[in-house]
Amino acid sequence: MSLPNMHDAEPIPKAARAEIDRLMQSGDLFRYTAAENSPVALLEAEFAGMLGAKYALAVSSCSAALFLSLKALRLPRDARVLIPGFTFAAVPSAVIHADCLPVLCEVGDNYRVDLKDFAAKLPTVQAVIISHMRGHTSDMDAIAQMCGDAGIPMIEDAAHSLGTTWHGRNIGTIGAMGCFSFQSYKMINAGEGGILITDDPDLVAQAIIMSGAYEHNWKKHPVLQGAFSKWQNQLPLYNLRMSNLSAAVIRPQLPHLAKRVSDGRTNHDYVAARLNASMYMAVPEPLSGEDRAPDSIQFNLQGLSDEQVRNFAAAADAAGVKVQVFGMNADNARAFWNWQFIPNLPELPQTRAMLMRACDVRLPVRLKQPELDAIVDVLLTAIDAIAPNPRYGT
Ligand SMILES: *Cc1c(COP(=O)(O)O)cnc(C)c1O
């Protein structure tokens, strides 16, 4: 079996075509032109219903959703916002964009928030963003409890976690607001796009206005109208709206989500079992209570030098499988030391050690078992080539 294409995003279901053609004919691409039921408004209703949230607001990206969430919390300038030290650069960037200061929390070698460091830093911050990086869920019971006890609002960055559940509850519904991405390499592909969900009418009313519902366009959102009256003309308009065209690409993918999630999980667990047979590779276990929705796999290399890690990635690359070692690619956007736009960027020894050994391989959910085997064979052969006495399988 030859290697599959691991780079392409999910194709768009054919069902999207008729609606896209209709929009091209009418030119009705702006979400607020129609009196009701614009594709963006329908997406919001469907997405909120699917996740069990009261309100949804579709926007231009998950970064925009995170930014609007922070603005809706009405944090003072320079408020400190606790974020994991392992996430995508979009997260500290959204904090900076909202005129706040990112405070970085250590992350363990299982890619989850280190609760000891979290507890120590929580009293020093005014808000928290938990980023479920690559879909890995931290202990949300402990985190929600600590934030609740301290009266500190928590936002979930569920950009890459759509379809994950925590004790049966949808990720993104645990915090005050949950933010998701429709960028091409997420579970639902619209090229660009994001959505935020919440049960709080006051938070969503502010986010709706700031997203660009100028004048009385907020009346086209099914939110208690009273929530808007106090914000009319009080908030800046950042114009981060979603276009109808994006919604038309996203909506026909929603019914495919459940299958994508279960295929992705089956693929991930199959590959994880094969990689774990190698003494040099360890795929961290999910936390109990977590049902993941993976479209990639992360594993830690162990017992290898920096040079061996580099050689392994190069050997796999040469054989056609791109392995990203988060901490070893120059300028990697997921390595905290590259977020040099943060004032007084701290050192996080534990997170750094993890990033120097954590590998990332895309596993598009459409792959079939022989294709997965071809990928794993490349990875195991690459380990054989660089580690003197292969000890796997013993
Ligand atoms: C993709 C991603 C983002 C950013 O999403 P955009 O829609 O591209 O802004 C933020 N956080 C995580 C964890 C991501 O994976």
Side-chain angles (χ1 to χ4, degrees):
M1 182 76 205
S2 57
L3 284 169
N5 180 325
M6 296 164 69
H7 195 68
D8 285 359
E10 291 301 313
I12 307 305
K14 286 199 176 62
R17 294 227 182 115
E19 177 68 353
I20 290 170
D21 277 348
R22 189 185 70 78
L23 292 170
M24 305 285 266
Q25 286 289 325
S26 67
D28 184 13
L29 304 184
F30 182 54
R31 68 163 298 167
Y32 291 127
T33 303
E36 55 183 1
N37 292 337
S38 72
V40 177
L42 293 172
L43 167 65
E44 288 167 345
E46 289 159 1
F47 196 88
M50 185 176 85
L51 287 202
K54 282 199 182 125
Y55 311 110
L57 171 66
V59 289
S60 52
S61 67
C62 181
S63 299
L66 290 167
F67 165 73
L68 290 170
S69 297
L70 289 168
K71 295 302 285 182
L73 293 176
R74 307 192 66 68
L75 300 169
R77 182 173 283 271
D78 292 336
R80 291 160 59 84
V81 178
L82 191 54
I83 66 170
F86 175 45
T87 182
F88 186 55
V91 177
S93 303
V95 175
I96 296 277
H97 190 188
D99 292 321
C100 298
L101 293 172
V103 176
L104 306 188
C105 175
E106 286 271 27
V107 168
D109 63 6
N110 64 353
Y111 320 131
R112 276 120 180 135
V113 167
D114 180 297
L115 292 179
K116 220 171 136 229
D117 198 42
F118 184 86
K121 288 171 177 165
L122 189 62
T124 74
V125 303
Q126 280 130 298
V128 168
I129 299 179
I130 296 296
S131 191
H132 307 294
M133 184 55 174
R134 286 290 189 274
H136 298 287
T137 310
S138 297
D139 183 341
M140 294 309 288
D141 293 343
I143 288 169
Q145 178 83 44
M146 281 191 263
C147 290
D149 289 350
I152 294 173
M154 187 252 294
I155 297 168
E156 285 181 84
D157 166 23
H160 212 151
S161 260
L162 180 58
T164 303
T165 59
W166 175 253
H167 294 296
R169 200 162 157 188
N170 285 313
I171 280 300
T173 64
I174 298 169
M177 282 168 282
C179 303
F180 298 85
S181 176
F182 300 121
Q183 184 266 345
S184 282
Y185 287 158
K186 314 296 163 137
M187 208 43 107
I188 289 181
N189 166 23
E192 303 283 359
I195 196 162
L196 76 79
I197 57 172
T198 181
D199 285 345
D200 186 321
D202 192 55
L203 293 178
V204 81
Q206 293 175 74
I208 287 169
I209 291 176
M210 287 187 284
S211 77
Y214 59 92
E215 296 165 355
H216 294 154
N217 280 313
W218 50 260
K219 290 184 177 162
K220 293 177 180 169
H221 289 264
V223 180
L224 300 172
Q225 305 282 298
F228 289 99
S229 52
K230 76 179 199 236
W231 300 116
Q232 182 77 54
N233 300 339
Q234 301 303 309
L235 298 170
L237 305 167
Y238 294 104
N239 283 8
L240 300 166
R241 294 172 301 252
M242 178 181 277
S243 137
N244 280 338
L245 215 39
S246 301
V249 169
I250 293 165
R251 291 181 60 219
Q253 295 181 62
L254 298 181
H256 296 266
L257 179 64
K259 181 163 192 316
R260 288 183 187 176
V261 168
S262 73
D263 289 352
R265 192 179 302 155
T266 305
N267 286 355
H268 173 277
D269 292 351
Y270 177 77
V271 171
R274 282 202 63 197
L275 295 184
N276 274 332
S278 165
M279 295 284 293
Y280 295 111
M281 299 179 182
V283 181
E285 287 287 308
L287 296 192
S288 91
E290 176 188 9
D291 281 311
R292 295 190 51 208
D295 57 9
S296 62
I297 189 162
Q298 290 72 46
F299 54 93
N300 295 326
L301 295 174
Q302 47 194 24
L304 301 177
S305 67
D306 282 2
E307 194 192 344
Q308 285 174 309
V309 169
R310 260 188 218 102
N311 290 343
F312 163 73
D317 248 1
V321 174
K322 176 132 191 52
V323 176
Q324 164 175 247
V325 184
F326 292 107
M328 289 209 178
N329 293 100
D331 302 324
N332 192 296
R334 298 148 201 89
F336 65 85
W337 53 89
N338 291 324
W339 306 337
Q340 289 167 21
F341 51 86
I342 298 180
N344 307 316
L345 187 62
E347 177 53 27
L348 302 172
Q350 183 184 316
T351 305
R352 180 184 287 265
M354 177 275 285
L355 291 168
M356 295 305 281
R357 290 294 177 273
C359 300
D360 186 32
V361 175
R362 257 175 70 72
L363 286 182
V365 300
R366 61 180 175 271
L367 299 188
K368 300 284 176 266
Q369 193 171 311
E371 299 171 312
L372 301 172
D373 280 326
I375 293 169
V376 175
D377 290 345
V378 165
L379 296 175
L380 295 178
T381 305
I383 278 285
D384 276 357
I386 59 101
N389 294 302
R391 291 174 293 167
Y392 64 85
T394 60

